């Protein structure tokens, strides 16, 4: 079976002024792969995945998504953003719009879908994240876990091939983490290509094909979960894992 | 039993606050009553007559800037209306200009262009830190130092700027002009429905229409088209220099221009700060989420940023409108014939009815301000979020 490479990062470097935040990042993601990224705070995890849909621009190296290279070309950026969904730590729902309008907004304005059809799509994804009864509410009227599930539905409604998650459960109370992780596990089972920054190691063990450990702007270790958790090669990974698993 | 009832009234949250409020209102009423009685008594003792009969007496002075005809034989009441209209005129024109200028400057202050951004910054810091009265006097003085009418500066061929104001063509409406005016009104009504039906169409087919462009075109071109069909029922009387003065046309007085510039340039500085902070208040995450969904930057502005910024902009914008309206009473400094200048000034001096006149003027400002507040509050409600976001 030939595998299709959907994301290719080749010697990617990025600076914030003098600060070298990404150093020679090489990464290949195949279709349907689930990659979990972890590492200490400030190691560049968010920056790396934000480069993939150009919320941040890299200065050096190449990023290719679905064969389209990310450059200053606005057309390319549009094409890539249409195929890549993103879920944020802070949900970032639109507070002035109802749940259903949050989800149907992009299909209507980006895909130029008729409103009725977009709302049907929105309802279908709300069913999928198990909160269809909240359709008419506003984000401010929902719990954190519900908001994050709406945010996932909003991304999925654009029918992306790749989903990026940046610490999707870090802002949630413990009892809500599971409901969001369950949705993500279901998504993984359906074959979505996923890049997930998270410190939920239980989730990582369940779904990850590859684990990535980042530190100080570099990918320090990349391995299958069995190897990653049982025989980490680098000392920094060991230290990090001991801290995170013991707490 | 009794004590427990009293206890209940005093310590119950609801009845206690009702009790306190009743007491305060009662005391205030007594206070007002005493003041009114004492004043009436004092006036009577000193033989000063009171009452509103003076309103029907002839005013005996002229008002140079007027929207309705007025001569010195007209009554004080009519002088009141002339002044009121002038106050409303400057307030409406001022708010309009200040809003446009303020939004423009507010957006420019967030621009990435260093030069524009800093010009806007200097403008804001300068104008909002100098008393508006001085600015009004400055602009007025500059206008008075323009060339005499004989050397008036021509603008767009038919406008002439001089130390006596801006001489401009005056419209002469001929038969059939009302049809043109009606076609304009109808065009606006029509576009309202068109907007609705195009939105419906978009909802059904998904196709996006440039609604704003289509509607603007309809509103602009319908009256022009009708105007030509009706045989151009509008003439302009052009101002022509005859000797030392212009004949024909109309003149926009330097007092009005000075007030308009002073009030709107000053208020726009505050509005621009409001607009800037409104746009900044929309979190970066909102833009990022919209971009990640593939929305283009103009749609991000229109669908996400502006609607959320308005929520923050409207309340301070309201108070800027109120400030501008009240500041229009500074017209007295350069002789702009607003409510305070004519009725509140000359009428007061001539009749001596200070209390009555001030009451009327104050109530008028109060009414104008409350009207603005009510409409802005209605608008404000429509842009607020639901829930605790
Ligand atoms: N806009 C910015 N300007 C300057 N420095 C930045 C900016 N954004 C991030 N950084 C810096 O880049 C580094 C990497 O940030 P990044 O957010 O990618 O880390 P992270 O691994 O996601 O950390 P966390 O686990 O705390 O989310 C940090 O040291 C951060 O301070
Ligand atoms: Mg991060």
């Amino acid at each position: 079976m030939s595998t299709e490479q959907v994301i290719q990062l080749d010697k990617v470097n990025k600076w914030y002024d003098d600060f070298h935040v990404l150093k020679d990042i090489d990464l290949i993601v195949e279709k349907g792969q689930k990659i979990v990224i972890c590492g200490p705070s400030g190691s560049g995890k968010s920056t790396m995945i934000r480069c993939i849909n150009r919320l941040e621009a890299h200065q050096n190296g190449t990023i290719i998504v679905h064969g389209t290279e990310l450059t200053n070309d606005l057309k390319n950026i549009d094409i890539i953003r249409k195929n890549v969904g993103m879920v944020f730590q802070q949900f970032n729902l639109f507070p002035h719009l109802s749940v259903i309008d949050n989800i149907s907004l992009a299909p209507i304005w980006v895909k130029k879908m008729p409103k009725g059809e977009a709302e049907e799509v929105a309802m279908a994804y709300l069913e999928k994240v198990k909160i269809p009864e909240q359709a008419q509410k506003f984000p401010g009227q929902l719990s954190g876990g519900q908001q994050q599930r709406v945010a996932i539905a909003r991304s999925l409604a654009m029918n992306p091939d790749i989903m990026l998650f940046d610490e999707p459960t870090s802002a949630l109370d413990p009892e809500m983490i599971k409901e969001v992780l369950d949705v993500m596990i279901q998504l993984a089972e359906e074959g979505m290509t996923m890049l997930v920054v998270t410190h939920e190691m239980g989730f990582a063990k369940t779904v990850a094909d590859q684990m990535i450990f980042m530190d100080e702007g570099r990918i320090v270790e990349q391995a299958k979960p069995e190897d990653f958790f049982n025989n980490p090669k680098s000392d920094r990974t060991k230290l990090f894992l001991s801290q995170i698993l013991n707490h | 039993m009794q004590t427990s009832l009293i206890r209940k009234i005093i310590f119950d949250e609801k009845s206690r606050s009702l009790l306190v409020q009743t007491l305060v209102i009662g005391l205030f009423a007594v206070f007002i009553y005493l003041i009114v009685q004492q004043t009436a008594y004092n006036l009577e003792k000193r033989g000063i007559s009171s009452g509103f009969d003076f309103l029907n007496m002839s005013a005996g002075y002229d008002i140079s800037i007027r929207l309705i005809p007025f001569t010195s034989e007209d009554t004080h009441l009519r002088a009141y209306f002339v002044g009121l209209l002038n106050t409303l005129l400057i307030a409406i024109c001022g708010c309009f200009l200040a809003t446009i200028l303020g939004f423009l400057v507010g957006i420019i202050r967030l621009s990435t262009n260093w030069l524009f951004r800093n010009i806007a910054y200097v403008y804001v810091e300068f104008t909002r830190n100098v008393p508006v009265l001085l600015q009004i006097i400055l602009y007025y003085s500059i206008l008075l130092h323009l060339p005499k009418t004989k050397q008036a500066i021509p603008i767009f061929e038919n406008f002439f700027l001089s130390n006596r104001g801006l001489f401009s063509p005056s419209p002469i409406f001929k038969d059939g002009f009302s049809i043109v005016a009606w076609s304009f009104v109808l065009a606006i009504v029509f576009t309202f429905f068109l907007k609705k039906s195009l939105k419906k169409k978009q909802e059904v087919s998904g196709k996006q229409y440039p609604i704003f462009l289509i509607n603007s075109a309809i509103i602009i071109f319908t009256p022009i088209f009708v105007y030509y069909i009706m045989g151009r029922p509008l003439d302009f009387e052009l101002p022509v220099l005859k000797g030392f003065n212009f004949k024909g046309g109309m003149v926009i007085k330097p007092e009005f221009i000075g007030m308009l510039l002073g009030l709107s340039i000053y208020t726009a500085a505050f509005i621009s700060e409001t607009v800037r902070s409104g746009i900044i208040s929309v979190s970066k995450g909102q833009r990022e989420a919209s971009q990640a969904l593939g929305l283009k930057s103009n749609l991000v502005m229109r669908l996400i940023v502006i609607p959320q910024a308005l929520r923050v902009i409207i309340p301070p914008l309201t108070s800027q409108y109120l400030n501008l309206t009240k500041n229009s009473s500074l017209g007295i400094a350069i002789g702009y014939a607003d409510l305070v200048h004519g009725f509140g000034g000359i009428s007061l001096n001539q009749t001596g009815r200070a209390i009555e006149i001030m009451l009327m003027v104050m109530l008028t400002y109060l009414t104008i301000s409350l009207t603005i507040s009510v409409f802005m509050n209605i608008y404000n409600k429509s842009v607020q979020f639901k829930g605790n976001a």
Side-chain angles (χ1 to χ4, degrees):
Chain A
M1 192 178 92
S2 73
T3 50
E4 185 191 342
Q5 298 184 349
V6 287
I7 302 178
Q8 295 149 290
L9 274 72
D10 188 28
K11 295 254 171 306
V12 171
N13 282 279
K14 176 174 176 63
W15 287 263
Y16 285 120
D17 297 323
D18 293 344
F19 181 60
H20 199 172
V21 55
L22 293 181
K23 300 170 186 161
D24 286 333
I25 301 281
D26 289 321
L27 174 68
I28 295 211
V29 182
E30 289 165 2
K31 192 171 163 58
Q33 251 188 341
K34 288 94 185 111
I35 296 189
V36 169
I37 303 157
C38 59
S41 180
S43 55
K45 309 177 295 289
S46 301
T47 309
M48 182 178 83
I49 67 167
R50 288 158 59 85
C51 281
I52 294 173
N53 67 349
R54 198 65 172 193
L55 288 183
E56 302 286 352
H58 60 288
Q59 278 106 24
N60 224 313
T62 51
I63 300 180
I64 298 174
V65 182
H66 275 308
T68 310
E69 187 180 345
L70 266 178
T71 57
N72 285 328
D73 187 329
L74 292 171
K75 275 244 160 60
N76 284 1
I77 296 176
D78 274 345
I79 293 172
I80 288 173
R81 283 182 180 162
K82 271 182 210 168
N83 287 317
V84 179
M86 183 158 194
V87 174
F88 301 83
Q89 180 174 356
Q90 300 298 338
F91 328 138
N92 294 343
L93 292 179
F94 307 130
H96 61 303
L97 299 177
S98 67
V99 164
I100 190 149
D101 289 346
N102 261 277
I103 303 174
S104 59
L105 181 96
I108 290 172
W109 291 99
V110 180
K111 287 199 160 172
K112 319 224 181 311
M113 201 185 269
K115 189 171 181 192
E117 195 182 322
E119 284 181 346
E120 278 169 29
V121 170
M123 280 314 295
Y125 283 105
L126 271 181
E127 304 264 0
K128 191 171 176 132
V129 298
K130 304 190 184 65
I131 36 174
E133 72 282 358
Q134 310 289 355
Q136 301 306 328
K137 286 205 184 150
F138 282 77
Q141 299 167 323
L142 301 182
S143 73
Q146 291 171 330
Q147 291 192 48
Q148 192 61 297
R149 285 187 279 160
V150 173
I152 294 174
R154 179 177 69 177
S155 251
L156 292 178
M158 285 300 285
N159 207 6
D161 310 321
I162 302 167
M163 285 288 287
L164 309 173
F165 293 84
D166 190 359
E167 306 205 31
T169 56
S170 299
L172 296 177
D173 292 338
E175 69 269 21
M176 294 170 188
I177 291 179
K178 187 174 176 299
E179 64 190 44
V180 172
L181 290 181
D182 283 347
V183 169
M184 290 169 62
I185 290 170
Q186 185 193 343
L187 201 59
E189 283 165 356
E190 288 167 10
M192 176 67 78
T193 310
M194 291 163 72
L195 267 78
V196 186
V197 177
T198 186
H199 293 153
E200 292 294 329
M201 289 305 144
F203 169 81
K205 283 174 185 161
T206 318
V207 306
D209 300 315
Q210 288 281 317
M211 292 296 301
I212 286 181
F213 175 70
M214 284 185 76
D215 194 18
E216 293 180 354
R218 288 184 199 282
I219 294 185
V220 175
E221 187 149 358
Q222 176 166 6
K224 292 206 176 316
E226 313 81 275
D227 301 330
F228 185 83
F229 288 109
N230 301 330
N231 317 302
K233 285 194 224 77
S234 108
D235 291 339
R236 275 186 285 177
T237 316
K238 281 177 199 157
L239 181 66
F240 178 77
L241 284 176
S242 71
Q243 281 167 350
I244 202 161
L245 294 175
N246 290 340
H247 101 127
Chain B
M1 192 66 207
Q2 268 241 297
T3 52
S4 81
L5 186 70
I6 292 171
R7 246 192 83 85
K8 216 176 156 190
I9 290 175
I10 293 181
F11 290 106
D12 180 79
E13 201 179 344
K14 268 194 195 141
S15 63
R16 183 191 199 154
S17 84
L18 194 70
L19 191 73
V20 172
Q21 287 177 38
T22 320
L23 273 177
V24 170
I25 292 174
L27 283 176
F28 187 67
V30 170
F31 177 69
I32 295 287
Y33 175 75
L34 288 177
I35 286 186
V36 171
Q37 247 215 345
Q38 187 63 37
T39 311
Y41 174 74
N42 289 349
L43 289 174
E44 205 178 330
K45 211 168 90 181
R46 290 207 266 151
I48 300 173
S49 55
S50 54
F52 288 91
D53 48 334
F54 72 96
L55 285 176
N56 290 322
M57 297 194 283
S58 152
Y61 63 93
D62 252 325
I63 302 179
S64 59
I65 300 175
R66 50 183 187 247
L67 293 175
I68 50 176
F70 186 83
T71 66
S72 55
E73 274 106 65
D74 281 313
T75 61
H76 287 293
L77 185 62
R78 195 169 173 87
Y80 166 83
F81 282 111
V82 173
L84 174 62
L85 286 176
N86 284 342
T87 291
L88 290 176
L89 179 70
I90 195 71
I92 292 170
C93 294
C95 288
F96 184 73
L97 204 61
T99 307
I100 293 178
L101 194 59
F103 269 75
L104 214 65
V105 175
I107 291 171
I108 290 176
R109 283 212 55 191
L110 293 171
S111 116
T112 46
N113 184 315
W114 184 91
L115 183 66
F116 286 176
R117 198 173 61 221
N118 280 285
I119 290 176
Y121 172 71
V122 171
Y123 158 77
V124 170
E125 289 308 327
F126 180 77
T127 45
R128 73 172 178 166
N129 288 312
V130 174
V132 60
L133 180 59
L134 303 188
Q135 297 184 42
I136 292 173
I137 294 175
L138 173 71
Y139 299 130
Y140 183 58
S141 311
I142 293 175
L143 291 168
L144 291 187
H145 282 87
L146 286 170
K148 298 210 173 72
T149 39
K150 226 177 154 196
Q151 286 97 36
I153 308 162
I155 305 171
F156 301 126
E157 281 185 39
N158 292 320
F159 293 83
F160 301 91
L161 194 58
S162 78
N163 63 351
R164 293 219 216 144
L166 180 68
F167 292 89
S168 25
S170 61
I172 297 172
F173 306 111
K174 292 193 291 197
D175 283 352
F177 185 78
S178 62
I179 298 182
V180 179
W182 275 111
S183 76
F184 179 64
V185 174
L186 284 179
I188 291 177
V189 174
F190 176 73
T191 53
F192 180 76
F193 287 107
L194 187 68
K195 185 173 161 189
K196 272 200 164 168
S197 93
L198 284 183
K199 272 207 169 147
K200 268 255 168 61
K201 247 189 170 165
Q202 175 181 346
E203 286 172 12
V204 176
S205 71
K207 188 163 158 24
Q208 286 161 27
Y209 298 89
I211 296 178
F212 182 76
L213 274 181
I214 295 177
N215 281 352
S216 310
I218 291 176
I219 291 177
I220 293 170
F221 290 114
T222 313
I224 294 181
F225 183 67
V226 175
Y227 171 75
Y228 278 98
I229 287 191
M230 295 305 296
R232 299 204 257 172
L234 175 67
D235 257 351
F236 285 101
E237 191 187 61
L238 303 180
V240 185
L241 190 60
K242 288 245 170 83
F244 288 104
N245 210 344
F246 280 91
K247 286 257 152 52
M250 61 181 186
V251 58
I252 302 171
K253 295 260 164 74
E255 289 80 16
F256 176 79
I257 304 176
M259 282 301 286
L260 185 64
L261 290 178
L263 290 176
S264 50
I265 290 178
Y266 174 77
T267 312
F270 290 91
I271 293 181
S272 77
E273 283 297 277
T274 304
V275 169
R276 189 173 72 101
S277 61
I279 291 179
I280 290 176
S281 78
V282 179
S283 72
K284 205 162 150 243
Q286 292 289 308
R287 287 164 209 263
E288 288 177 350
S290 333
Q291 286 169 349
L293 287 168
L295 287 168
K296 297 226 173 72
S297 57
N298 61 332
L299 285 179
V300 175
M301 254 297 165
R302 189 173 124 202
L303 300 172
I304 308 299
V305 177
I306 297 283
Q308 293 186 50
L310 279 181
R311 178 184 61 103
V312 182
I313 293 174
I314 301 299
L317 187 63
T318 309
S319 67
Q320 289 311 325
Y321 286 170
L322 297 180
N323 280 344
L324 189 148
T325 306
K326 288 179 292 180
N327 284 341
S328 73
S329 62
L330 293 173
I332 197 164
I334 59 169
Y336 178 70
D338 75 327
L339 193 54
V340 175
H341 180 258
F343 185 71
I346 308 173
S347 289
L348 188 150
N349 281 333
Q350 288 184 358
T351 62
R353 303 284 170 82
I355 294 176
E356 292 85 346
I357 287 183
M358 275 304 126
L359 267 179
M360 274 180 77
V361 173
M362 283 163 73
L363 278 178
T364 307
Y365 276 104
L366 191 66
T367 312
I368 298 174
S369 294
L370 288 178
T371 312
I372 295 176
S373 294
V374 166
F375 281 105
M376 293 301 279
N377 277 342
I378 293 173
Y379 185 54
N380 190 32
K381 280 234 173 72
S382 73
V383 296
Q384 294 303 316
F385 300 156
K386 299 225 176 74
N388 42 8

